[in-house]
Amino acid sequence: MAANSPRIVVHIGAPKTASTYLQRRLRADPNCLRKHRIYVPVLPIVAEMAGNAKLLATALSRRPSLTFGRAFPQIDVSALDPTRLVAELLQDWRTNSESVVLSAENFRPNHAPRLRELLPKTAPCVVVLFVRRQDRWIDSYFNQMVKTNEINEDISTFVARLCDTDGERLCRPDWFAHYEAWRDAFGDCKIVFYDEVASDVFGAFITAAGLEPVPDLPEIDRAQVSLNVYELAYLLDKTPIDYADFLRRRGASEKASPRLALLKTRSFLSNADLERLRNRFEASNHRLMTALGRNNNPTLLRLDASSASDSYCDSKQFYASESYARYRELADAIYTRRNRRHRFRSLFKR
């Protein structure tokens, strides 16, 4: 494939590898991108979603996330037609002069054959997947899932689910399985190691996709704030009545942290969790590094052997600590005041 020749670029994530930042950057200035022969289509019905192909991925899986359902209650996922969605995404693409980018971190390995069938055979396709070591990745993914109220379970249960079950709702971090499925369907899958390119994710994507550099594209704020260890523990410690109640709990937790200057992010992964991750993914990681000819740098996907460092903390000891007790008391007080105000306002809306 000639450099910068028109192509279809399929960015498949993974989640928690700066996908949202990349997607928002790709949509920061559409006119600028098209000057550089890059087209990023947007479906109006889900224009507020960062990933322009997330609706297509949802249609392929028929399994919307809870976050998707809350944001788009009017969309009947069972009625979505992937063929029609592809046609809508590609209808304004100038096939002879520009490349088109489709991005969704909820694409899964089993989507690869069907997506290859749906996309035109007249243009070459490039699949790009960002990966990172599973222990750090799961920490970040777990944090996000708790923050968005997608799950309410301890991290050991979450690790077990990712190691032992298949499915489409959660992303299973078997990177070789992802690579193999997309390579088999599309002929290749470009792997980008997040830890190698974290300082320039956008540039790494452009290079992997074989697209023309876009030096004049506006930068955007990259920050996506994770829950700190106190906020994470607090939300796991409480069972919300409904999503509105969860949001009030989360708001109270985020308000309490700066008041007590408690901002540190730490991992709740235990030695048993780390061992389970190594047993499940080390061989797969080795196969991926071998396939890519990257065995000279095995540390890229080497998981921690022990939780005996300051970046980890024992959840039972943490919940029993005085610092968490003070934090919980303050967060509960903030929540109670906000809940009282919420009930008071509700009375006047009736």
Side-chain angles (χ1 to χ4, degrees), residues 43 55-56 79-90 118:
L43 297 174
L55 188 63
L56 174 58
L80 292 175
D81 179 4
T83 302
R84 181 179 62 80
L85 291 175
V86 168
E88 289 182 21
L89 285 165
L90 301 184
L118 291 168

Side-chain angles (χ1 to χ4, degrees), residues 202-247:
F202 187 80
F205 169 75
I206 292 293
T207 299
L211 299 173
E212 179 181 327
V214 194
D216 49 339
L217 185 69
E219 182 57 275
I220 64 168
D221 184 8
R222 183 170 171 175
Q224 254 198 324
V225 181
S226 297
L227 298 169
N228 66 50
V229 67
Y230 288 86
E231 295 163 353
L232 182 62
Y234 184 74
L235 292 180
L236 292 171
D237 200 18
K238 305 292 181 179
T239 302
I241 299 170
D242 52 26
Y243 186 60
D245 183 60
F246 168 81
L247 292 177

